[in-house]
Amino acid sequence: MAKKNKIQRPKARRPRGFEDKSSDILRSEARLIEAAFSVYDANGFEPLQTPAFEYADVLGKFLPDEDRPNVGVFALRDDDEQWMALRYDLTAPLARFVAENYDALAKPYRRYQAGSVFRNEKPGPGRFREFVQCDADSVGAPGAAADTEMIMLAADVMKAVGLETGGYVIRVNNRKLLDGILEASGVPNTEEGAIQRLKVLRAIDKLDRLGADGVAALLGEGREDESGDYTEGAKLNAAGVKAVLGFTTASATDRGDTMNTLASLVGSSSAGQAGVDELKMIDAILGACDYGPDRVVFDTSIVRGLGYYTGPVFEAELLADIKDKKGRPVRIGSVGGGGRYDDLVSRFRGQAVPATGFSFGVSRFASALARLNPEQQGESAPVIICAFDRELMGEYFKMAAELRAAGIRAEVFVGAGNVAKQLKYADRRGAKLAVLMGSDELERGEVTIKDLVLGAEMAKAISDNKEWRENKDMQRSCKRDQFVATIKEMSA
RNA sequence: GCCGCCUUAGCUCAGUAGGUUAGAGCGCCGGUUUGUGGAACCGGAGGUCCUUGGUUCGAGACCAAGAGGCGGUACCA
């Protein structure tokens, strides 16, 4: 019982929903961002970086005289008592930036940005409280041409990350169409109908998960799930439910067919007609640039859950290589999305500032890509130069520099321990080659290079330690001035 | 927020009916081997048994509350 008095140590742990990212993940995410940035840059977009903190009201949060900030954001009070919060997306900060620098910016202002965003919500599998988004937006362009540009950009990013045509699809819809349908069903296209419209959007968003029946319940009175939780419905009448569900299944593979169907569906609604007209414009530009239905389709079942979209909306989806029974590619999910949001900037200025953009979740996209190509691996481990003799450290670093100059990743062992330790380190790092140069080699003017992969292979056939240690077949020596060339040869 | 499951070593888990000093495998560190990563053998470190309270002569085990984790559902401006 009389345990020795233990020092109270802090427990090494991280807050839930916040992740440490390993080198492999970091490298694949960096490649993804680089590919996207190069597409945006080539299209004339400019990079922008905004701070992680914004004033809470800028983010669209009202924090009246409350001690606790609203849930959903990480907020704190500055020393002047003002509420600041970590950004939860990159769009609200962009709206602030544009409004703040409006006169100095050439419109349309088109920028791209990647960075961490923060959401104070319950984390789940694949859902974190900090995650990286990569956005491109176009502010100040009212027409569907700007939306089409974003759609083509999204398709180009898919291509730039190495996806073949058929491996992805951009699905396009238009909020105005649904507004038109709802208007015809008695939901006014005004402020009063906003909450109801949002409920409709969220219900449609759950189509793939709940099926038509579940969505019908959510569009009507409401729905109770298996755990007994009740979700209030959008309270549409039976005809409304039918109209909305009919709309979500109205799209076909051919964009022209879809437009014809929709034109008859929206009838005389002005919002609906405007939506169809925009799709026509989008289709015309896509057609001229050869973005066929194998890359971009019109799909009335995608809506995006957010309330701030006002016009065309779209999602980028990865299609797995596997086909379902009917021979169609299986959906593995949306990796990004975007759309038109005409009211976000005008919040700050009281003057119309139309905007449209595209955003993808970097981690989700990167891990989906990794699932598609598991064989694609990251950076190869560096050549490890063992610190055999501490007197020769200068020479070791010089050798490492020579390797780097030849484009080979290399490092000198700077830790503690004998050669056995150092080789064990090299092994753990996954290095293919280790360089050994001690007094023997120095005398002969040579360098010993050990092939660790070959050594591991040979070890399988050897069970005796003495034999294993004396076996030198996995290593070779070369003259000091042949060093870099030999490494090159052996790493091939 | 609501519902369910779970919590013993770094990891995966065992722990007999409530009974001294809480175990195993893997991993880690060291040695056999101070110029060679594997294997084998030997040794070692590492635990507030999630926390608090209760029942009991006695709790890792039984009871209660709380915390944390996992899953589902809702929310996600």
Side-chain angles (χ1 to χ4, degrees):
Chain A
M1 248 352 183
K3 285 256 167 81
K4 52 192 169 188
N5 291 339
K6 290 202 71 170
I7 309 156
Q8 199 54 276
R9 292 195 175 88
K11 188 171 181 191
R13 65 209 173 105
R14 57 180 160 52
R16 67 203 171 102
F18 290 89
E19 290 292 301
D20 297 320
K21 289 183 184 175
S22 67
S23 64
D24 281 356
I25 291 181
L26 238 23
R27 287 182 202 285
S28 64
E29 292 188 1
R31 275 200 302 273
L32 185 55
I33 291 173
E34 206 182 299
F37 276 14
S38 68
V39 169
Y40 299 147
D41 214 79
N43 280 272
F45 285 58
E46 297 289 344
L48 173 71
Q49 188 165 102
T50 59
F53 270 106
E54 295 282 352
Y55 284 117
D57 58 347
V58 163
L59 294 178
K61 265 298 172 199
F62 305 97
L63 300 168
D65 42 31
E66 271 183 70
D67 285 323
R68 263 171 45 126
N70 285 12
V71 288
V73 292
F74 292 97
L76 54 83
R77 252 210 259 250
D78 204 357
D79 53 13
D80 61 1
E81 298 293 298
Q82 298 197 72
W83 280 105
M84 303 196 302
L86 286 171
R87 62 188 176 201
Y88 56 81
D89 68 16
L90 297 177
T91 310
L94 169 67
R96 185 227 86 213
F97 174 83
V98 171
E100 194 173 351
N101 301 281
Y102 196 77
D103 297 339
L105 293 171
K107 266 76 66 181
Y109 173 64
R110 292 142 78 244
R111 73 86 242 234
Y112 59 90
Q113 176 171 12
S116 279
V117 301
F118 305 84
R119 295 190 185 178
N120 195 1
E121 296 162 359
K122 180 191 159 189
R127 288 175 63 98
F128 302 101
R129 294 203 287 177
E130 176 187 8
F131 57 98
V132 178
Q133 282 193 333
C134 181
D135 285 31
D137 291 86
S138 179
V139 182
D147 299 296
T148 317
E149 178 177 50
M150 298 314 306
I151 290 163
M152 293 191 291
L153 237 37
D156 289 352
V157 167
M158 296 290 127
K159 187 177 176 187
V161 301
L163 291 165
E164 303 289 333
T165 296
Y168 63 91
V169 67
I170 312 298
R171 299 178 189 278
V172 181
N173 194 3
N174 195 330
R175 277 287 166 87
K176 288 176 185 168
L177 297 168
L178 188 62
D179 288 345
I181 302 277
L182 288 175
E183 202 171 30
S185 304
V187 180
N189 193 12
T190 58
E191 204 54 32
E192 301 94 79
I195 294 165
Q196 209 173 359
R197 278 205 304 279
L198 196 56
K199 279 188 171 161
V200 170
L201 293 176
R202 289 176 188 160
I204 297 173
D205 222 16
K206 295 180 174 63
L207 248 182
D208 49 343
R209 202 150 44 80
L210 301 180
D213 290 348
V215 173
L218 284 174
L219 289 172
E221 281 304 306
R223 176 178 178 275
E224 186 177 316
D225 67 45
E226 308 83 59
S227 63
D229 208 9
Y230 186 75
T231 309
E232 188 85 347
K235 310 284 189 202
L236 294 184
N237 58 33
V241 172
K242 199 173 163 217
V244 170
L245 281 177
F247 168 67
T248 61
T249 54
S251 48
T253 314
D254 184 83
R255 295 197 295 250
D257 292 347
T258 306
M259 286 187 291
N260 290 335
T261 311
L262 289 172
S264 65
L265 220 60
V266 298
S268 60
S269 153
S270 61
Q273 282 172 357
V276 174
D277 287 346
E278 286 175 2
L279 287 188
K280 280 183 183 156
M281 171 103 180
I282 290 170
D283 179 61
I285 299 173
L286 290 176
C289 300
D290 274 332
Y291 287 77
D294 50 351
R295 297 180 76 191
V296 183
V297 298
F298 290 157
D299 185 335
T300 49
S301 71
I302 75 115
V303 289
R304 311 241 79 210
L306 299 182
Y308 61 63
Y309 289 117
T310 55
V313 291
F314 56 95
E315 280 187 1
E317 191 174 315
L318 286 187
L319 304 170
D321 210 13
I322 22 174
K323 308 269 202 264
D324 68 9
K325 288 159 229 151
K326 291 175 187 160
R328 294 172 310 193
V330 167
R331 297 170 71 145
I332 65 169
S334 156
V335 292
R340 173 159 293 277
Y341 50 97
D342 280 348
D343 303 327
L344 238 47
V345 181
S346 63
R347 231 161 49 79
F348 297 102
R349 315 201 91 241
Q351 128 189 31
V353 184
T356 181
F358 172 65
S359 168
F360 64 86
V362 173
S363 312
R364 180 183 288 192
F365 195 174
S367 67
L369 285 175
R371 250 182 298 143
L372 286 179
N373 323 310
E375 73 284 352
Q376 189 185 20
Q377 53 190 10
E379 199 73 13
S380 60
V383 171
I384 308 290
I385 298 173
C386 293
F388 217 127
D389 182 342
R390 303 281 152 170
E391 300 292 308
L392 298 175
M393 281 313 264
E395 184 63 11
Y396 298 147
F397 276 107
K398 193 174 160 213
M399 291 160 75
E402 289 170 21
L403 287 175
R404 288 174 207 132
I408 299 165
R409 210 170 163 224
E411 74 175 61
V412 178
F413 184 82
V414 291
N418 57 21
V419 180
K421 279 255 177 52
Q422 301 189 23
L423 285 170
K424 194 166 183 171
Y425 167 81
D427 196 36
R428 243 189 210 201
R429 287 295 307 275
K432 175 170 165 58
L433 299 178
V435 174
L436 299 166
M437 191 184 71
S439 49
D440 295 359
E441 284 85 355
L442 192 66
E443 240 171 71
R444 299 196 302 268
E446 290 184 342
V447 174
T448 297
I449 302 160
K450 180 160 180 147
D451 186 327
L452 296 170
V453 175
L454 182 60
E457 196 58 40
M458 294 170 73
K460 290 175 186 165
I462 303 174
S463 60
D464 176 66
N465 184 252
K466 194 175 163 76
E467 187 190 343
W468 158 245
R469 292 182 64 137
E470 284 171 359
N471 182 4
K472 297 280 154 53
D473 292 347
M474 76 293 278
Q475 66 188 45
R476 55 189 266 202
S477 292
C478 68
K479 286 293 172 196
R480 174 66 180 81
D481 58 7
Q482 294 296 307
F483 164 61
V484 175
T486 308
I487 291 269
K488 262 191 171 160
E489 190 188 323
M490 288 179 73
S491 53

